[in-house]
């Protein structure tokens, strides 16, 4: 019996043991990302190139559906079975750092100062206590996509997208089709909260209404620091509530509606270009985000996915991870990434490349980058849920906008206080 | 004499050897059970008394839980799921089983049709329902429009979402109830009905006086399994309400169950300690319910 038990224990430990690592001088590292088809294909191609340059390193890439990605990492890190490098949305970094899932970029690899100089300045918002916990290959900004066919059908000039928000609402009204019973058949504008539009509210509308959304250290929520903040919020929510130019739940998602030709306009990032090209059976264009009045403040929301090294990675694996990271942020990779994935180069130098700025599709995004602000999230998931719930209360329970807005600001402040306490 | 003792020794040896072999085989599932069930359970208990990202014993998780209105909403929702789904899925299952009993042709066909939802993937089926529930394009609102009924919000409306999720749960579980009821009905002796017919009872009376009381063990079994699975509801809610940046349990936590709330805390907020406290509470709740039900189940039935 003891023999049986002994065998069992042995086999159990063998299963649970560290099966990866270096064999015959070859170091294996794991790279995790979420399943974004263009990125998955591109990473595979990049790894091939990297492995050819570094024959003693093997990179294993794995990807998981977006909805389970965080869950997968949390479970794996708690079981000490996580990846060596992971691709993370910058808004998640504070929580990942706090939970001890990732380590700071080693100073001897790339100093904070060198990172500051190399990159587009907007990535500085993800510094935690003066240190970086991840390096991006690419950055993204938002732009307005419009369906030229639907513009034509509504008698609008298909080459003249709206320049101001008022124009957007006016045009969208002409392209919205609602049945007598209140059901949408077609949206003028693919309004949403949990896609890109809550970023649009926080970083574009608020700023254009003259409100700085957060204090410089990120500790204070300033949405209601002037009455204009509430006005911006009302304007935004009323696009769906009063003006009825779009519904966040129409066709299970704003970009699905646009791609299906059932929404005349949407705000999305350059990462949607490839998918839109593939799915859209209509003529479409991209332009910079609207402003409050012509010649007024331009603003944009910038975001990025970073590559972070997991906590606990050391020795040969750390060196291999650093090498791979260096490869991922090189200018060659950045250029290839833009062509294949549709995200813009993260380095400051490439962001000013005139050939990129002139591109009819990438141009508006690169121009948007100049005024882009990356929100200093402390807990992106909670912050998103809070604003989505506030909007639900207004739309589904008819809660008064002003009171809900005050509660929302308090809730956002509470999330920040929880993090900084 | 010595021969006898040695024989006895040999038999003991044989007995011990047999026992050892038996234990040897039992060890495998036992080890599996210890590692996969018992250890994680105990670990979850200890985790629930720890602070997030800190060491040391604390009751903070429980005191926060006590004042957490989303948690209480989830508890209430969980109980609502039990109250709504368990009786209805049993009632529908019984109705279908009685109906199928009455027909003589193609019985297997009806059995397959009603049992099919139970064996289909919950995830796939939930997504089909999700599209059917869609406010603007869903087939359900389309059908309502034929009868000039205003379109409903279904999953999008906080006051209807829990019922909508329950509909999917009932639809899926009633096939299982049907199958068990059919087995129960077939086990009832025919003579009882024959005797009742001779005495001139109506079929209504026969149902209430014969079928229903004799189905008691089946009813109890279905109630126990139904309540436990309703208390643990997760998959339907996750697939009907989450996705595209929304966490499960929406809108406005109106469909969140205890398991969903635990999942969101553990894997969206990474707070394993707090999630463990939710799990322990759920564990206690299920334990109490099961103990009560076991008391009922062990009651003997007199026919």
């Amino acid at each position: 019996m003891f023999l049986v038990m002994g065998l069992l224990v042995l086999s159990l430990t063998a299963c649970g043991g560290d099966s990866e690592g270096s064999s015959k001088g070859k170091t294996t590292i794991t790279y995790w990302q979420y399943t974004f088809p263009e990125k998955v294909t591109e990473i595979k191609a990049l790894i091939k190139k990297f492995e050819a340059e570094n024959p003693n390193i093997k990179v294993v890439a794995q990807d998981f559906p977006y909805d389970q990605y965080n869950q997968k990492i949390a479970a794996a890190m708690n079981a000490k079975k996580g990846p060596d490098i992971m691709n993370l949305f910058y808004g998640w970094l504070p929580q990942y750092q706090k939970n001890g899932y990732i380590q700071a970029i080693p100073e001897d690899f790339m100093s904070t100062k060198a990172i500051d100089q190399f990159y587009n300045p907007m990535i500085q918002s993800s510094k935690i206590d003066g240190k970086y916990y991840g390096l991006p290959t690419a950055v993204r900004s938002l732009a307005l996509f419009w369906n030229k066919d639907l513009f034509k059908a509504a008698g609008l000039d298909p080459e003249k997208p709206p320049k101001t928000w008022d124009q957007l609402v006016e045009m969208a009204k002409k392209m919205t089709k609602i049945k007598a019973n209140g059901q949408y058949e077609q949206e003028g504008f693919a309004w949403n909260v949990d896609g890109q539009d809550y970023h649009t509210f926080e970083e574009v509308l608020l700023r254009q209404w003259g409100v700085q959304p957060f204090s410089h250290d990120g500790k204070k929520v300033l949405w209601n620091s002037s009455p204009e903040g509430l006005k911006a919020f009302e304007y935004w929510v009323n696009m769906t509530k009063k003006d009825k130019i779009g519904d966040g739940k129409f066709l299970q998602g704003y970009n699905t509606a646009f791609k299906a030709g059932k929404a005349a306009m949407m705000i999305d990032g350059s990462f949607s270009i490839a998918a839109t090209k593939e799915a859209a059976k209509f003529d479409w264009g991209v332009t910079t985000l609207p402003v409050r009045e012509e010649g007024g403040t331009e603003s944009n929301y910038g975001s990025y996915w970073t590559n972070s090294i997991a906590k606990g990675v050391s020795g040969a694996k750390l060196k291999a991870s650093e090498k791979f990271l260096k490869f991922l942020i090189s200018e060659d990779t950045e250029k290839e990434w833009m062509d294949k994935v549709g995200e813009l180069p993260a380095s400051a130098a490439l962001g000013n490349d005139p050939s990129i700025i002139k591109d009819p599709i990438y141009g508006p995004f690169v121009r948007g980058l100049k005024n882009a602000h990356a929100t200093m999230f402390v807990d992106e998931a909670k912050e998103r849920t809070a604003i989505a719930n506030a909007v639900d209360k207004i739309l589904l329970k008819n809660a008064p906008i002003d009171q809900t807005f005050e509660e929302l600001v308090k809730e956002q402040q509470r999330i920040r206080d929880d993090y900084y306490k | 004499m010595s021969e006898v003792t040695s024989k006895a020794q040999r038999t003991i040896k044989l007995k011990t050897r047999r026992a050892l072999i038996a234990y040897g085989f039992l060890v495998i599932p036992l080890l599996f059970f210890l590692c996969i069930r018992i250890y994680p359970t105990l670990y979850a208990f200890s985790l629930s008394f720890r602070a997030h990202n800190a060491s040391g014993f604390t009751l903070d998780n429980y005191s926060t839980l006590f004042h957490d209105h989303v948690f209480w909403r989830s508890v209430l929702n969980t109980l609502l799921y039990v109250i709504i789904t368990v009786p209805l899925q049993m009632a529908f299952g019984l109705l279908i089983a009685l109906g199928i009993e009455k027909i003589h042709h193609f019985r297997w066909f009806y059995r397959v049709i009603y049992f099919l939802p139970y064996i289909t993937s919950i995830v796939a089926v939930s997504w089909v329902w999700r599209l059917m529930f869609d406010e603007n394009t869903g087939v359900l609102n389309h059908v309502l429009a034929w009868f000039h009924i205003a379109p409903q919000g279904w999953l999008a409306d906080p006051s209807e979402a829990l019922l909508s999720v329950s509909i999917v749960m009932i639809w899926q579980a009633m096939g299982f109830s049907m199958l068990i009821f059919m087995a129960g009905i077939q086990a009832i002796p025919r003579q009882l009905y024959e005797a009742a017919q001779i005495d001139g009872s109506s079929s209504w009376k026969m149902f209430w006086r014969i079928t229903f009381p004799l189905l008691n063990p089946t009813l109890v079994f279905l109630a126990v399994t139904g309540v436990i699975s309703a208390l643990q509801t997760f998959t339907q809610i996750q697939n009907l309400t989450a996705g595209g940046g929304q966490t499960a349990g929406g809108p406005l936590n109106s469909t969140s169950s205890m398991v969903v709330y635990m999942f969101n805390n553990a894997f969206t907020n990474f707070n394993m300690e707090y999630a463990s406290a939710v799990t322990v509470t759920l564990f206690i709740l299920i334990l109490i319910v099961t103990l009560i039900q076991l008391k009922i189940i062990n009651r003997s039935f007199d026919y």
Side-chain angles (χ1 to χ4, degrees), chain B residues 151-270:
Chain B
Q152 300 298 310
W154 302 108
L155 291 167
D157 186 335
S159 53
E160 292 172 10
L162 188 126
L163 276 176
S164 305
V165 174
S166 303
I167 290 174
V168 181
M169 285 160 64
I170 293 168
W171 173 79
Q172 214 164 16
M174 67 186 188
F176 179 71
S177 304
M178 172 209 72
L179 202 74
I180 304 293
F181 274 128
M182 284 185 77
I185 291 170
Q186 256 148 29
I188 299 173
R190 295 286 118 191
Q191 303 94 294
L192 294 174
Y193 292 106
E194 283 158 15
Q197 255 167 352
I198 291 167
D199 288 347
S201 326
S202 64
S203 48
W204 183 248
K205 211 165 187 181
M206 279 199 283
F207 170 74
W208 282 114
R209 290 295 164 85
I210 304 172
T211 318
F212 196 73
L214 289 187
L215 277 178
N216 207 345
T218 318
L219 284 169
V220 171
F221 169 75
L222 284 173
V224 173
T225 49
V227 166
I228 292 180
S229 67
L231 284 174
Q232 297 174 340
T233 315
F234 173 76
T235 322
Q236 284 96 342
I237 305 171
Q238 171 79 19
N239 287 289
L240 285 168
T241 60
Q246 292 268 36
T247 44
L252 298 174
N253 302 314
S254 60
T255 60
S256 173
S257 73
M258 284 174 81
V259 182
V260 167
Y261 190 58
M262 181 270 286
F263 181 83
N264 286 343
N265 271 301
F267 299 110
T268 321
N269 302 338
F270 309 119

Side-chain angles (χ1 to χ4, degrees), chain A residues 71 99 183-184 194 384, chain B residues 52 130 135-136 245-246 267:
Chain A
Q71 287 87 316
N99 284 297
Q183 284 182 313
Y184 275 91
D194 42 24
R384 174 162 27 100
Chain B
H52 188 42
R130 188 175 175 148
E135 225 181 323
N136 293 298
Q246 292 268 36
F267 299 110

